[in-house]
Amino acid sequence: MQGLLRDFLLSFCPASIRQVRRPESTVRVLHAAIWTGLAQFLLATFISITRFKEHFYLRAQQFAPHVAGTHEAIQGGVALIIALEYLLYPLSILWIYLALEGFTRFVGGIIAAEVVPSLPVTLGYKIFQWETWSAIQKQPASALPDTVEFLSDGLRICSAQLKPAWDGSITIGVQGEWYSVEQC
């Protein structure tokens, strides 16, 4: 039961989380993404349509005395403005987005057999990663100094602090010899 819940929750997460925290069954994660995507699409669409109808009826009643007896084009224009006005509310945009995301997750699972993660979960994870990385960078340097070891076939430098700019293209000069970074 716990594995089922975990796989269900992992269906909303990006692939980088699923690589670190392996699901019990990748097929179960895919099925969870398909069914939760469909449920998300149907629920968000239903809520969005219900809210749109309520908004439209309320605003149409407010404008009815002003457009009564006018030309059909004006009445149609007012109806279009009321419909577009619905899109100005942040909660309306959220429900429409969630419906589109649910549809994308459902179709991505059905057609491509891919688990499409949820954007709010992915953004939350990225923010958490960034805050963790910032906290690590703000910590004072380790009390251990960087060490340099001269080996028979080269040089080994062990860094006590993360060096994000170091990669395979970096070369380090020590005593007139140049060494390339092998592992970061």
Side-chain angles (χ1 to χ4, degrees):
M1 182 66 180
Q2 191 175 24
L4 178 68
L5 178 63
R6 182 174 188 213
D7 289 350
F8 172 80
L9 293 174
L10 284 173
S11 72
F12 288 93
C13 298
S16 57
I17 293 177
R18 290 192 309 270
Q19 289 173 352
V20 173
R21 307 203 185 287
R22 294 274 188 204
E24 281 186 11
S25 169
T26 56
V27 174
R28 193 182 326 166
V29 172
L30 176 62
H31 289 164
I34 291 170
W35 290 112
T36 58
L38 180 62
Q40 180 181 345
F41 169 68
L42 294 175
L43 181 65
T45 301
F46 175 75
I47 291 172
S48 183
I49 289 172
T50 304
R51 287 178 44 85
F52 174 72
K53 285 172 55 176
E54 290 174 0
H55 172 77
F56 192 85
Y57 291 150
L58 176 67
R59 296 296 284 163
Q61 287 177 352
Q62 291 173 345
F63 280 110
H66 303 291
V67 295
T70 60
H71 192 269
E72 293 175 1
I74 294 175
Q75 292 177 3
V78 169
L80 180 65
I81 290 171
I82 291 171
L84 292 175
E85 178 191 31
Y86 174 76
L87 296 175
L88 295 177
Y89 296 102
L91 200 53
S92 301
I93 294 170
L94 175 68
W95 287 116
I96 292 169
Y97 168 76
L98 289 174
L100 291 173
E101 179 184 276
F103 182 75
T104 304
R105 294 182 73 229
F106 174 70
V107 171
I110 291 289
I111 293 176
E114 284 289 326
V115 177
V116 178
S118 176
L119 181 64
V121 173
T122 303
L123 289 177
Y125 175 67
K126 294 294 183 185
I127 290 170
F128 175 76
Q129 267 188 327
W130 180 78
E131 286 179 351
T132 303
W133 185 79
S134 295
I136 289 171
Q137 293 300 323
K138 289 179 183 175
Q139 288 179 352
S142 175
L144 298 173
D146 293 347
T147 59
V148 178
E149 296 178 39
F150 292 94
L151 306 173
S152 61
D153 60 338
L155 176 76
R156 179 186 308 165
I157 300 175
C158 295
S159 175
Q161 190 172 2
L162 180 67
K163 302 202 179 353
W166 284 24
D167 58 14
S169 65
I170 298 293
T171 55
I172 303 167
V174 177
Q175 296 179 348
E177 296 286 324
W178 290 97
Y179 299 93
S180 62
V181 175
E182 290 183 2
Q183 182 180 4
C184 297

